[in-house]
Amino acid sequence: MEELVGLCEGSVGKPVTLPELWGPCPHVRQGIRGGLEWLKQRLFRVGEDWYFLAALGVLMALISYAMNFATGCVVQVHNWLYREIGDSHLLRYLSWTVYPVALLSFSSGFSQSITASSGGSGIPEVKTMLSGVILEDYLDIKNFGAKVVGLCCTLATGSTIFLGKVVRPALPTSAMDKGNRGRQDSRSQMARGEMAVRPPGVLFSIEVMSSHFSVWNYWRGFFAATCGAFTFRLLAVFNSEQETITSIYKTSFRVDVPFDLPEIFFFVVLGAVCGILSSAYNFCQRTFLGFLKTNRFTSQLLATSKPLYAALAALILASITYPPGVGRFMASRLSMGEHLESLFDNNSWALMTWNSSPPWPAELDPQNLWLEWYHPQFTVFGTLTFFLVMKFWMLILATTIPIPAGYFMPLLVYGAAIGRLMGEVLSAAFPEGIMSGGVANPIMPGAYALAGAAAFSGAVTHSISTALLAFEITGQIVHALPVLMAVLVANAISQSCQPSFYDGTIIVKKLPYLPWIRGRNIGSYPVTVGHFMNTSITTLAKDMPLEEVLKVVTSTDVTRYVLVESAESQILVGTVERTQLMQTLQAEPASWALGQQCCLQDLLAGGCATQPVTLQLSPETSLHQTHNLFELLNLQWLLVTSRGRAVGSVSWVELKKAISTLTNPPATKEASLGLQNKV
């Protein structure tokens, strides 16, 4: 039964239902409804995606803050247990080690039981998806849940395992993935929209994950990141963690004369040191990860007992960082945030302990965190050197644990320690400062720590925006010139020696990803598509009998067929999907099988749709142009035509093989010329 409708008294508008007409305050309710409709029309003129981006940033901020709050509570409980357990070294050792072992075992077991791809930071996988590759179920909601729970357990271990939080969230894209299943462009666009709201910034996300990026997407990502960052910092103020929104790691560098001109040379040297160490780190990390995957014992352990491997690695790392033991010389009682806060101190620890030997406090002193870096016999030089040596291989070991984790924060801390050591050496060598223009200003080791953090993390990840990140977290830009020079020098060395940390992970995991064509000395410019294209393509002629079409379809398993005008001319017409062709063949009447001569043209005229080939390659197209097209347009396969004739195809397989052959040429001269002589 339809509802009765009527008109309000004196109204000439649309009829309303009787319950609505007889309800309380009908005029007020009608006015509110009209106002909301007007507001909706005005708001959605801006575009629905902007509201989604704002919601995306706020949602990520809420999730991130909730994770910080939960892990902070667990870390406080661990610290309380370690302090209150008594003076027994055995009990304190067990409380220090059993805690991270249990957390990492649970993190590895839980996340891997949900999705096998939940381990690591996720940036290599996102970088692969941005190139146009579909990774099934990687953007699913269950992967998000596994990463959140696993990452909370990882962060709850504190600085014992020395891992951070910069990890790819999957919730925003999982919701979009449901409605865009199977669309290649949608997957790539989703990943671009997601990466913009990830810490540590829009520019860093673009640098490490996308070789080509649309400027239009930059504003969208920046808007989402601003909404997320503002919400995250506002929550800290509301929770009384901070008085107001300010820089994360406050510094007290001089503003009038932050550095003397001769110090530029030492900042450049610091960049060179960070570049060399970052190249060594990327090489060792990739080599060790490859060893774990090829060694029979470790590969079997990682394949069948990931929680056991995580527990063994956590036990080694936690035992070394035990504060009364070796951890005494590594400032192991500090969290990673406290590591940075202490390393950015502008006072010289070497000069402060020149004629004094302050005692090591029994408990952590928040007002004098630098005391954790001092030992009467080792001095600050010894503890910083020991920290760098030990954390080098400990961080490599930690990155191999199959758990959700971020690796950027440890790189910042490690680079800050490199810069701090160099700053302390300079302050001890020039206690009065470096003479410049008749004036000597004291050297600030904290400035070198800032430059080292930006240079090392930027060199490992092959990014320049880490300099801007360093300015953002400290709130000061007075060292813009030396920090940028250090970052540029470090990147120049690192990029010429080794692939980035994330590219190395892609190589070891054997993810489908196109390598860059680096250098001018590999002879890549004379190479054209005709040298490496696949000439064995399956074509279907329009005049081909249906019996032969059926034989081709049943004997091959390609996803699409190249449609040509005739077998003699091979003039390209378009492509036809195999599934649609099979459906049309099955639905076609059997009259053609009873002696009637039917050809593919009749089948196409009957409703089997063909797809036009809008983009084609020529045999004379260079390797560089082909590589740029595949990366820019997220392509997987292209046809090669010559004067309208289909002569071959190029896919990722042929493109990667051509680049690999040029980068690592065969041993013999005749074999090295094989690529260019192949037609």
Side-chain angles (χ1 to χ4, degrees):
M1 181 178 180
E2 297 183 358
E3 291 185 307
L4 298 177
V5 297
L7 289 175
C8 296
E9 184 179 355
S11 174
V12 294
K14 296 180 179 180
V16 296
T17 61
L18 288 184
E20 196 172 330
L21 180 63
W22 293 341
C25 305
H27 296 287
V28 176
R29 295 170 61 189
Q30 187 178 9
I32 293 175
R33 184 177 293 105
L36 291 177
E37 289 292 335
W38 178 86
L39 181 63
K40 178 181 178 181
Q41 293 176 2
R42 295 300 183 273
L43 286 178
F44 282 97
R45 286 182 180 180
V46 181
E48 297 182 17
D49 52 346
W50 290 96
Y51 301 106
F52 171 77
L53 291 171
L56 183 64
V58 173
L59 181 60
M60 286 296 97
L62 294 174
I63 294 174
S64 182
Y65 187 81
M67 293 172 61
N68 280 1
F69 181 80
T71 55
C73 293
V74 178
V75 171
Q76 289 180 1
V77 172
H78 184 205
N79 293 335
W80 174 84
L81 178 64
Y82 177 77
R83 291 193 308 266
E84 302 296 331
I85 203 168
D87 297 331
S88 173
H89 280 289
L90 178 60
L91 293 178
R92 301 192 79 179
Y93 171 77
L94 291 176
S95 68
W96 183 266
T97 56
V98 172
Y99 210 79
V101 168
L103 286 173
L104 285 196
S105 299
F106 176 79
S107 175
S108 178
F110 178 83
S111 60
Q112 295 295 325
S113 64
I114 302 299
T115 54
S117 59
S118 60
S121 68
I123 290 181
E125 287 79 6
V126 174
K127 191 170 184 178
T128 301
M129 287 188 292
L130 284 177
S131 62
V133 179
I134 298 178
L135 298 181
E136 292 294 337
D137 299 329
Y138 192 76
L139 302 179
D140 198 75
I141 187 66
K142 63 181 181 180
N143 196 16
F144 165 76
K147 280 188 173 290
V148 168
V149 176
L151 184 59
C152 287
C153 296
T154 302
L155 296 176
T157 60
S159 61
T160 306
I161 310 301
F162 208 60
L163 291 175
K165 185 184 178 183
V166 182
V167 61
R168 186 199 68 83
L171 175 62
T173 52
S174 65
M176 299 176 63
D177 182 60
K178 300 300 182 181
N180 295 282
R181 183 74 64 178
R183 291 181 58 188
Q184 186 75 30
D185 295 338
S186 301
R187 296 284 182 107
S188 301
Q189 186 66 24
M190 282 185 282
R192 285 190 175 92
E194 174 206 5
M195 74 179 182
V197 297
R198 295 180 58 259
V202 182
L203 291 177
F204 177 78
S205 300
I206 294 173
E207 277 193 288
V208 301
M209 288 191 291
S210 182
S211 57
H212 296 85
F213 190 79
S214 174
V215 178
W216 179 70
N217 283 326
Y218 170 76
W219 294 106
R220 295 154 54 87
F222 193 84
F223 174 74
T226 302
C227 295
F230 178 75
T231 304
F232 184 84
R233 303 304 302 277
L234 203 61
L235 289 172
V237 176
F238 288 162
N239 201 33
S240 301
E241 297 177 9
Q242 296 178 355
E243 296 181 359
T244 184
I245 297 179
T246 182
S247 58
I248 302 177
Y249 303 105
K250 296 181 180 180
T251 57
S252 55
F253 299 151
R254 293 191 310 269
V255 180
D256 51 350
V257 186
F259 60 91
D260 292 316
L261 189 60
E263 288 188 71
I264 295 291
F265 170 76
F266 296 107
F267 280 103
V268 172
V269 173
L270 174 61
V273 172
C274 290
I276 296 172
L277 290 178
S278 65
S279 299
Y281 173 80
N282 284 337
F283 173 78
C284 294
Q285 195 273 341
R286 188 176 71 256
T287 303
F288 184 65
L289 190 59
F291 168 78
L292 293 179
K293 290 184 174 294
T294 55
N295 182 264
R296 186 174 65 177
F297 173 75
T298 55
S299 61
Q300 184 177 3
L301 185 64
L302 287 171
T304 59
S305 303
K306 288 183 174 66
L308 178 59
Y309 177 83
L312 293 176
L315 180 61
I316 295 173
L317 297 174
S319 300
I320 294 176
T321 57
Y322 178 55
V326 181
R328 166 68 178 87
F329 310 104
M330 302 168 56
S332 60
R333 293 194 299 186
L334 299 178
S335 65
M336 280 193 288
E338 291 171 337
H339 275 111
L340 283 180
E341 184 179 349
S342 61
L343 292 171
F344 288 159
D345 184 10
N346 64 322
N347 298 313
S348 174
W349 303 338
L351 297 181
M352 292 171 63
T353 58
W354 195 273
N355 296 319
S356 62
S357 298
W360 188 55
E363 300 294 338
L364 184 64
D365 185 3
Q367 303 300 324
N368 296 285
L369 297 177
W370 69 273
L371 291 175
E372 298 295 317
W373 296 96
Y374 175 75
H375 190 275
Q377 284 76 35
F378 266 53
T379 70
V380 293
F381 304 106
T383 55
L384 286 170
T385 303
F386 188 74
F387 176 87
L388 293 174
V389 172
M390 296 298 290
K391 287 297 183 181
F392 186 88
W393 66 267
M394 292 173 67
L395 180 55
I396 291 176
L397 177 61
T399 58
T400 63
I401 304 176
I403 54 174
Y407 307 132
F408 186 79
M409 187 68 170
L411 299 178
L412 275 179
V413 177
Y414 194 87
I418 298 174
R420 185 76 199 192
L421 177 59
M422 185 170 183
E424 292 293 344
V425 171
L426 291 176
S427 65
F430 305 97
E432 301 297 330
I434 300 176
M435 189 65 64
S436 177
V439 179
N441 296 296
I443 292 175
M444 291 186 296
Y448 289 87
L450 180 67
F456 184 78
S457 59
V460 171
T461 58
H462 288 188
S463 59
I464 309 296
S465 58
T466 52
L468 302 180
L469 172 67
F471 303 145
E472 183 181 0
I473 63 177
T474 58
Q476 293 196 19
I477 200 171
V478 293
H479 291 87
L481 179 60
V483 170
L484 283 171
M485 293 187 67
V487 172
L488 290 173
V489 172
N491 266 273
I493 296 176
S494 178
Q495 293 189 27
S496 62
C497 296
Q498 291 292 324
S500 70
F501 174 83
Y502 302 117
D503 288 341
T505 305
I506 289 175
I507 294 173
V508 175
K509 288 186 175 182
K510 297 182 179 179
L511 295 174
Y513 184 71
L514 281 179
W516 284 13
I517 307 177
R518 297 182 178 273
R520 296 178 178 270
N521 56 348
I522 61 174
S524 59
Y525 289 94
V527 179
T528 61
V529 168
H531 295 138
F532 59 86
M533 68 178 181
N534 177 25
T535 56
S536 302
I537 56 174
T538 304
T539 61
L540 294 177
K542 294 173 65 175
D543 56 355
M544 180 181 292
L546 290 184
E547 293 88 347
E548 296 185 16
V549 173
L550 185 60
K551 291 179 181 179
V552 173
V553 171
T554 55
S555 61
T556 57
D557 57 353
V558 296
T559 58
R560 73 187 74 171
Y561 295 100
V562 180
L563 183 64
V564 295
E565 188 66 35
S566 64
E568 292 77 14
S569 66
Q570 292 291 309
I571 299 297
L572 179 65
V573 176
T575 60
V576 57
E577 298 291 333
R578 182 176 187 271
T579 55
Q580 192 169 9
L581 187 59
M582 288 289 294
Q583 292 174 0
T584 308
L585 283 171
Q586 294 174 358
E588 186 72 11
S591 57
W592 60 272
L594 299 176
Q596 296 185 9
Q597 291 295 329
C598 298
C599 60
L600 181 58
Q601 175 65 41
D602 302 326
L603 200 65
L604 297 176
C608 184
T610 61
Q611 299 295 329
V613 181
T614 57
L615 183 62
Q616 308 166 27
L617 293 175
S618 169
E620 288 75 29
T621 305
S622 67
L623 175 62
H624 283 264
Q625 290 175 326
T626 307
H627 183 271
N628 290 336
L629 280 175
F630 270 70
E631 282 203 329
L632 182 62
L633 302 178
N634 300 328
L635 301 175
Q636 300 290 313
W637 178 80
L638 277 179
L639 273 173
V640 183
T641 59
S642 176
R643 297 180 180 180
R645 299 175 62 252
V647 295
S649 66
V650 173
S651 65
W652 272 38
V653 176
E654 291 80 27
L655 195 56
K656 290 179 66 176
K657 185 177 181 181
I659 298 174
S660 300
T661 304
L662 290 170
T663 306
N664 302 303
T668 62
K669 181 178 180 181
E670 291 77 7
S672 64
L673 297 175
L675 176 64
Q676 298 189 15
N677 293 334
K678 180 183 175 182
V679 179

